[in-house]
């Protein structure tokens, strides 16, 4: 990028100095032709010609500032651009993007709004078309729900990640299990990450250019963990038997689900293989309000960025799991106050099969993790080669401290609240940044044994989220 030129200096003289005499002598002493452009109180704005590159203008200002008659002299700084503020209908309600205890996305977008070469994969219930999702940014994903009954789409593993719905009747997921409507969980999470911004509709996602890779591993009654591991592996570009290689390997994989079991050696090994390909893994801490994170899978695995949820005033969201294993927090919201304190995102009003596009206010560590994943995508937009370890370090080192008196501390909720603008600033300072291109409530997983992985599959639950419906536009 070419160095910005300067044509002005800010100058203030010491008290008692004859301004006219001083200015007459500047031209002869320093070369450029100076003119008094305007006064700002005691400060003078001087224009000069010819224009100078920024470094030369700084050197000139330093020489003038050394004169005994001068209080200060300096260039006025770089040319500023207006802050990008999306015009999406519900954006004023998206406090998590711009309020004090939000993620400061609004300032971050002046550094980058993303890059189409970056891929965010989400392991979830699949994806639906929605008026606020740009189909050009949705990559061909895959459906890894292997049990046709759970898949609810007539077959098992197939190349169509469309969410057919996961509604269940009473006792369908085990004796005593309740009936439940379709969650459309994948659509909720996708909206947080990549909803189209500045289109007057709905909401704004955190990343405005990255592409989404939908990987379906959850169906009716949750997800089989072998299917989840398969989807994670395929999303990262690892070979999977019987399935074509993924032509669009992910930069970051969002894991907005949680279950109860230690991270076994086999699972940790698969995660290590994924990270060895440069893929960042981000997982929800879970919604059970637990302090011990040692059994919250996959957030308890080494190398996975574990995300807890905060509320609008920077406290721990009451439902959020917490503890020393948490790396960072992000807004997950709470559904009181008529939904005003929750997270606005995309949804569908179909109780069983897909119906109409709507928007809802929701809460959960699923949504907190989604904001971190999209933030990682913005970091990769600035530096495509930034490593998973460096990503985690920069997120932690740039996090906003919890407010005084908060129920969150660094021993409970990680380093602080995601500060996206500060994280991007650290990426830019790292030396390799590139220019911007313009708790429970779901069904448990089925326990089973799969000899290809050689471990007992674990009981897990897709994260429950509390919804407050909003009218479609």
């Amino acid at each position: 990028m070419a160095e910005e030129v300067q044509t002005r200096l800010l100058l203030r003289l010491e008290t008692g100095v004859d301004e006219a005499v001083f200015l007459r002598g500047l031209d002869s002493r320093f070369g450029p032709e100076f003119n008094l452009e305007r006064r700002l109180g005691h400060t003078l704005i001087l224009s000069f010609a010819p224009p100078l590159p920024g470094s030369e203008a700084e050197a000139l200002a330093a020489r003038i500032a050394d004169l005994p008659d001068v209080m200060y002299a300096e260039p006025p700084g770089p040319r500023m651009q207006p802050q990008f503020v999306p015009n999406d209908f519900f954006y004023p309600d998206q406090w998590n993007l711009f309020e004090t205890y939000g993620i400061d996305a609004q300032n971050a977008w002046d550094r980058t709004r993303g890059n189409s070469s970056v891929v965010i994969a989400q392991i979830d219930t699949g994806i639906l078309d929605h008026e606020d999702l740009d189909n050009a940014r949705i990559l061909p994903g895959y459906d890894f729900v292997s049990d046709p009954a759970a898949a609810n789409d007539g077959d098992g593993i197939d190349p169509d990640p469309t969410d057919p719905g996961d509604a269940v009747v009473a006792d369908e997921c085990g004796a005593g299990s309740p009936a439940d409507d379709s969650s459309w969980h994948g659509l909720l999470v996708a909206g947080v990450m990549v909803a189209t911004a500045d289109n007057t509709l709905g909401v704004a996602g955190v990343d405005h250019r990255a592409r989404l890779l939908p990987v379906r591993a959850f169906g009716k009654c949750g997800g089989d963990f072998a299917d989840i591991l398969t989807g994670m592996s395929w999303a990262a570009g690892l070979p999977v038997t019987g399935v074509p290689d993924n032509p669009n390997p992910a930069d970051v994989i969002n894991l907005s689900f949680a279950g109860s079991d230690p991270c076994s050696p086999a699972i940790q090994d698969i995660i290590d293989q994924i990270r060895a390909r440069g893929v960042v893994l981000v997982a929800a801490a879970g919604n059970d309000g637990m302090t011990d994170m040692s059994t919250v899978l996959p957030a308890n695995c080494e190398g996975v960025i574990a995300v807890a949820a905060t509320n609008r005033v920077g406290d721990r969201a009451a439902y959020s799991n917490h503890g020393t294993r948490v790396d960072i927090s992000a807004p997950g919201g709470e559904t009181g106050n008529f939904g005003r304190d929750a997270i606005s995102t995309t949804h569908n009003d179909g109780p069983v099969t897909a119906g109409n596009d709507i928007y809802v206010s929701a809460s959960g560590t699923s949504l907190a993790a989604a904001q971190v994943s999209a933030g990682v995508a913005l970091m990769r937009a600035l530096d495509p080669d930034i490593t998973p370890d460096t990503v985690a370090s920069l997120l932690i080192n740039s996090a906003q401290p919890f407010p005084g008196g908060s129920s969150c501390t660094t021993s409970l909720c990680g380093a602080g609240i995601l500060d996206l603008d500060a994280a991007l600033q650290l990426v830019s300072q790292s030396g390799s940044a590139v220019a911007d291109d313009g708790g429970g409530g779901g069904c448990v997983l089925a326990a089973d044994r799969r000899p290809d992985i050689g471990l007992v599959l674990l009981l897990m639950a897709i994260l429950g989220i509390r919804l407050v419906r909003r009218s479609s536009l």
Side-chain angles (χ1 to χ4, degrees):
M1 185 179 295
E3 187 175 10
E4 186 172 327
V5 298
Q6 294 281 358
T7 60
R8 294 182 176 91
L9 290 178
L10 303 178
L11 173 75
R12 182 171 178 180
L13 300 176
E14 297 286 358
T15 303
V17 175
D18 188 310
E19 177 185 299
V21 172
F22 179 87
L23 294 178
R24 280 198 297 270
L26 273 183
D27 295 353
S28 60
R29 296 179 69 176
F30 294 100
E33 179 182 341
F34 291 90
N35 290 290
L36 176 59
E37 186 173 302
R38 69 192 84 146
R39 289 185 178 84
L40 307 177
H42 297 293
T43 301
L44 310 179
I45 298 182
L46 303 182
S47 61
F48 59 83
L52 295 175
S55 58
E56 294 183 26
E58 289 176 2
L60 172 63
R63 291 166 59 201
I64 296 174
D66 284 340
L67 298 175
D69 292 340
V70 177
M71 184 179 296
Y72 59 76
E74 61 185 61
R79 188 174 184 84
M80 299 292 178
Q81 299 295 331
Q83 185 183 63
F84 174 74
V85 179
N87 63 13
D88 303 79
F89 187 83
F90 289 122
Y91 183 71
D93 298 331
Q94 292 186 268
W95 60 269
N96 56 300
L97 300 181
F98 55 82
E99 284 192 0
T100 301
Y101 300 113
I103 67 173
D104 201 11
Q106 192 163 285
N107 283 311
W109 292 329
D110 286 337
R111 300 183 188 276
T112 182
R113 292 177 60 197
N115 190 303
S116 61
S117 66
V118 177
V119 176
I120 307 171
Q122 67 171 47
I123 313 299
D124 219 301
T125 64
I127 195 68
L128 284 180
D129 288 340
H130 192 281
E131 65 177 5
D132 213 13
L133 294 180
D134 182 356
N135 285 334
R137 294 175 59 199
I138 310 299
L139 291 164
Y142 226 84
D143 177 1
F144 288 101
V145 181
S146 58
D147 178 6
N152 197 33
D153 60 0
D155 57 19
I157 295 175
D158 64 60
D160 182 4
T162 300
D163 188 346
D166 55 7
V168 292
V169 298
D171 299 324
E172 187 171 359
C173 298
S177 64
D180 206 357
D181 289 346
S182 289
S183 67
W184 313 119
H185 190 274
L187 180 57
L188 285 163
V189 172
V192 171
M193 297 192 292
V194 299
T196 305
D198 212 36
N199 64 343
T200 74
L201 294 175
V203 295
V206 174
D207 188 297
H208 304 164
R209 294 170 182 158
R211 293 176 297 164
L212 182 73
L213 182 68
V215 180
R216 185 171 183 246
F218 288 85
K220 299 178 76 170
C221 304
D224 182 309
F225 206 66
D227 295 345
I228 294 168
L229 290 172
T230 303
M232 290 168 57
S233 300
W234 182 84
L238 292 171
V240 173
T241 302
V243 175
D245 289 345
N246 175 14
N248 300 291
D251 291 274
V252 56
I253 300 178
N254 184 74
L255 308 171
S256 283
F257 54 88
S260 179
D261 216 83
C263 184
S264 73
I267 295 173
Q268 185 64 61
D269 179 61
I270 292 173
I271 285 172
D272 292 344
Q273 292 181 56
I274 291 171
R275 294 183 75 249
R277 300 180 72 89
V279 182
V280 179
L281 291 158
V282 179
N287 295 342
D288 297 304
M290 302 190 313
T291 301
D292 183 5
M293 288 282 295
S294 64
T295 60
V296 179
L297 185 71
N300 57 357
C301 294
E302 290 299 319
V304 175
I305 299 173
V307 185
T310 50
N311 62 19
R312 196 167 184 170
V313 296
D315 286 337
R316 178 178 64 84
Y319 54 80
S320 180
N321 292 345
H322 48 288
T324 55
R325 179 59 192 89
V326 174
D327 294 299
I328 195 169
S329 289
E334 291 176 336
T335 53
N337 195 21
F338 302 98
R340 297 186 186 97
D341 297 338
I343 308 301
S344 299
T345 186
T346 51
H347 203 233
N348 190 281
D349 68 0
V352 178
T353 58
N356 301 303
D357 296 343
I358 62 169
Y359 303 88
V360 297
S361 293
S363 67
T365 55
S366 284
L367 309 183
Q371 291 168 76
V372 174
S373 292
V376 171
L378 291 179
M379 295 170 76
R380 279 276 170 91
L382 287 183
D383 184 355
D385 299 319
I386 191 170
T387 68
D389 285 341
T390 300
V391 166
S393 177
L394 296 184
L395 286 172
I396 289 168
N397 290 333
S398 62
Q400 177 186 182
F402 300 112
S406 172
S407 55
C408 266
T409 66
T410 54
S411 63
L412 293 176
C413 305
I417 301 169
L418 173 65
D419 187 330
L420 192 47
D421 185 53
L424 295 184
Q425 184 175 358
L426 289 186
V427 174
S428 297
Q429 293 169 353
S430 68
S432 56
V434 297
D436 178 23
D437 74 348
C443 297
V444 296
L445 301 185
D448 197 0
R449 184 179 296 275
R450 295 298 174 93
D452 57 327
I453 294 182
L455 58 94
V456 177
L457 294 179
L458 311 169
L459 290 175
M460 298 185 65
I462 193 165
L463 284 176
I465 53 176
R466 308 163 183 87
L467 302 180
V468 177
R469 293 188 180 275
R470 311 180 77 163
S471 297
S472 178
L473 294 181

